[in-house]
């Protein structure tokens, strides 16, 4: 069996998912092509036979639909011989793409693959692809369906989080992201995005808010209270969790992941591929795991996914040096740290999606690059990326630095 090595990782800056956002005037294949072109220019991977380009896409519809990976590869001018495929597991789609690429290399079913993802939330709304979750009344009733934001408030309520707890976490995420940008910690992976004229559209994450405080965040109104009361989901929560007498609406736009556009791409291959390309491996993907939990609560699976991935290499979570836990909502990471005992100084040390945004299909690939960069910067040996996803899913990836 081969080992799955990471040779390079790139990502776009995250652009605000608004009509005024820095990436909004582009298309999903523009973003996909931008990271593929950057990866090609840095590694020359297209000189060899690439088994596949695997992109995660959360909502594959309209301009983001069909086989966006293949379209992006053609748009990047990579040639007719490079395939492409798309995978979707909600928020964990990009990490699933990475895990699938690594598994192919380990199994000997491919020597060289590109994995990552694309999401343009300024063009395609969350749940833009539809589906029974949220639209099928019988399914909703039998599964105790709750929207993500209501589930986040449920999690915070069950955990006993206060508004100050979640706002304090969010303020720290903003501070860490601002410091990371000021110290150039993202410089190795972030590639500027240009338009068809060659002009730069965006070269740094757009929604980081320098100077964010608990006090300023405390002025924001809860984002999901109406959804719980007018939508009836508060009653669904009480039916599933009778101990919840009152749902505490803790999450706002300031302590939840930001809506953004972005793309990521990672070059994964065998040891022999590295020799042929003249590239030194930066890390190896040594384990992955997927888990599931109660779809009503839905946001607590990352801890078990991380445990399983670590256990596959004989580690306890206490043995892992660094973690990237996607900041879907502040309570998600607070719960992860409480359940696992992993301290905050090893989790999201450069901020996360609350500060920089969560481009659904691209985030997993972005976090792999962020983790690898930080492991190299501080000399860490092991790291885990993990994300929660809709319907109660969790995905994790264990990386060991070369």
């Amino acid at each position: 069996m081969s080992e799955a090595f990471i040779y390079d990782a790139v990502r776009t800056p995250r652009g605000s998912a608004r009509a005024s956002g820095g990436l909004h005037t582009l298309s999903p294949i523009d973003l996909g092509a931008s990271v593929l072109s950057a990866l090609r220019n840095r590694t020359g991977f297209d000189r060899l036979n690439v088994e596949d380009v695997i992109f995660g896409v959360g909502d594959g519809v309209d301009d983001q639909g069909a086989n966006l990976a293949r379209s992006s590869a053609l748009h990047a001018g990579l040639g007719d011989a490079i395939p492409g495929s798309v995978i979707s597991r909600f928020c964990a789609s990009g990490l699933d793409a990475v895990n699938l690429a690594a598994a192919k290399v380990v199994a000997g079913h491919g020597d060289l693959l590109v994995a990552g993802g694309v999401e343009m939330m300024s063009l395609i709304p969350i749940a833009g692809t539809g589906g029974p979750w949220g639209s099928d009344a019988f399914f909703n009733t039998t599964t105790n369906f709750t929207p993500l934001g209501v589930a986040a408030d449920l999690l915070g309520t069950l955990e006993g989080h206060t508004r100050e707890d979640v706002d304090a976490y969010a303020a720290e995420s903003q501070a860490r992201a601002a410091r990371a940008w000021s110290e150039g910690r993202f410089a190795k992976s972030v590639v500027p995005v240009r338009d068809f004229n060659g002009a730069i559209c965006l070269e740094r994450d757009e929604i980081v808010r320098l100077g964010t405080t608990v006090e300023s965040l405390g002025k924001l109104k809860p984002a999901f209270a109406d959804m719980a009361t007018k939508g009836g989901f508060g009653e669904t929560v009480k039916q599933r969790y009778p101990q919840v007498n009152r749902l505490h609406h803790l999450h706002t736009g300031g302590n939840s992941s930001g809506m953004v556009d972005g793309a990521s791409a990672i070059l994964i291959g065998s040891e022999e591929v590295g020799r042929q390309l003249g590239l030194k491996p930066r890390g190896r993907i040594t384990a992955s795991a997927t888990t599931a939990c109660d779809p009503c609560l839905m946001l607590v699976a990352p801890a078990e996914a991380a445990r399983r991935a670590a256990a596959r290499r004989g580690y306890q979570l206490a043995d892992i040096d660094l973690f990237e836990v996607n900041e879907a909502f502040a309570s998600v990471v607070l719960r992860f740290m409480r359940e696992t005992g992993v301290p905050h100084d090893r989790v999201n040390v450069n901020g996360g999606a609350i500060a920089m945004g969560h481009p659904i299909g691209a985030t997993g690939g972005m976090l792999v690059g962020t983790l690898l960069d930080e492991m190299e910067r501080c000399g860490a040996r092991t790291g885990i990326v993990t994300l929660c996803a809709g319907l109660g899913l969790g995905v994790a990836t264990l990386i060991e630095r070369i």
Side-chain angles (χ1 to χ4, degrees), residues 41 58 64 94-95 106 114 126-127 174 198 216 283 309 329:
N41 294 340
Q64 204 162 268
L95 196 59
V106 170
V114 177
I126 294 175
Q174 291 279 1
S216 63
F329 302 92

Side-chain angles (χ1 to χ4, degrees), residues 72-157:
S72 296
L74 292 171
H75 195 46
L78 293 181
D80 297 346
I82 295 182
S85 59
V86 170
I87 189 169
S88 181
R89 199 194 295 267
F90 302 119
C91 296
S93 300
L95 196 59
D96 250 9
V98 170
N99 291 343
L100 178 56
K104 281 179 172 285
V105 173
V106 170
H109 290 182
D111 296 313
L112 180 65
L113 297 96
V114 177
V118 177
E119 203 81 28
M120 289 200 68
M121 302 180 78
S122 67
L123 298 180
I124 311 298
I126 294 175
T129 49
W133 183 39
S135 63
D136 186 313
F138 181 76
F139 180 76
N140 293 351
T141 301
T142 56
T143 60
N144 293 301
F145 163 74
T146 53
L148 285 162
V150 176
D153 284 342
L154 170 60
L155 173 59
T157 301

Side-chain angles (χ1 to χ4, degrees), residues 33-344:
S34 70
V35 288
L36 291 176
S37 296
L39 196 64
R40 173 191 57 196
N41 294 340
R42 288 162 55 140
T43 66
F45 72 81
D46 59 332
R47 290 183 280 126
L48 300 181
N49 295 321
V50 179
E51 179 72 21
D52 212 351
V53 174
I54 309 173
F55 273 174
V57 178
D59 284 296
V61 68
D62 297 333
D63 284 353
Q64 204 162 268
N67 190 340
L68 189 64
R70 171 67 169 167
S71 301
S72 296
L74 292 171
H75 195 46
L78 293 181
D80 297 346
I82 295 182
S85 59
V86 170
I87 189 169
S88 181
R89 199 194 295 267
F90 302 119
C91 296
S93 300
L95 196 59
D96 250 9
V98 170
N99 291 343
L100 178 56
K104 281 179 172 285
V105 173
V106 170
H109 290 182
D111 296 313
L112 180 65
L113 297 96
V114 177
V118 177
E119 203 81 28
M120 289 200 68
M121 302 180 78
S122 67
L123 298 180
I124 311 298
I126 294 175
T129 49
W133 183 39
S135 63
D136 186 313
F138 181 76
F139 180 76
N140 293 351
T141 301
T142 56
T143 60
N144 293 301
F145 163 74
T146 53
L148 285 162
V150 176
D153 284 342
L154 170 60
L155 173 59
T157 301
L158 291 171
E159 288 289 302
H161 298 155
T162 65
R163 176 65 185 271
E164 187 173 58
D165 291 335
V166 291
D167 283 347
Y169 180 86
E172 179 62 15
S173 179
Q174 291 279 1
R176 291 182 178 195
R179 180 190 63 204
W181 268 107
S182 68
E183 294 179 1
R185 296 189 186 184
F186 300 130
K188 192 169 188 176
S189 292
V190 175
V191 293
V193 177
R194 300 177 182 271
D195 63 18
F196 66 94
N197 290 316
I200 291 178
C201 297
L202 193 66
E203 52 188 349
R204 61 182 293 136
D205 294 325
E206 194 169 26
I207 68 169
V208 179
R209 296 290 180 262
L210 185 64
T212 299
T213 64
V214 175
E215 290 72 27
S216 63
L217 290 171
K219 297 176 182 178
L220 300 176
K221 294 181 179 180
F224 309 107
D226 284 349
M227 193 179 292
T229 54
K230 297 178 182 179
F233 295 111
E235 294 305 313
T236 301
V237 164
K238 290 179 183 178
Q239 179 176 314
R240 177 65 182 84
Y241 292 92
Q243 68 269 39
V244 176
N245 294 320
R246 184 170 68 88
L247 196 60
H248 299 291
H249 298 294
L250 307 170
H251 291 89
T252 69
N255 55 42
S256 306
S257 55
M259 296 177 63
V260 292
D261 302 331
S264 59
I266 299 171
L267 186 63
I268 299 170
S270 65
E271 186 174 13
E272 177 59 26
V273 156
R275 282 196 289 265
Q276 292 179 42
L277 290 173
L279 299 174
K280 181 180 178 181
R282 298 176 58 193
R284 57 169 67 89
I285 297 170
T286 56
S288 64
T290 55
T291 57
C293 65
D294 173 16
C296 181
L297 184 56
M298 97 168 69
L299 302 171
V300 299
E304 180 59 21
R307 284 194 199 95
R308 290 189 191 183
R312 288 191 166 127
R313 289 286 287 176
Y315 295 124
Q316 302 289 326
L317 291 187
D319 302 322
I320 306 301
D321 297 319
L322 292 171
F323 294 82
E324 286 292 329
V325 182
N326 187 42
E327 294 176 352
F329 302 92
S331 281
V332 172
V333 189
L334 292 174
R335 161 66 183 251
F336 177 90
M337 292 189 293
R338 196 272 301 166
E339 182 178 344
T340 62
V342 176
H344 200 184

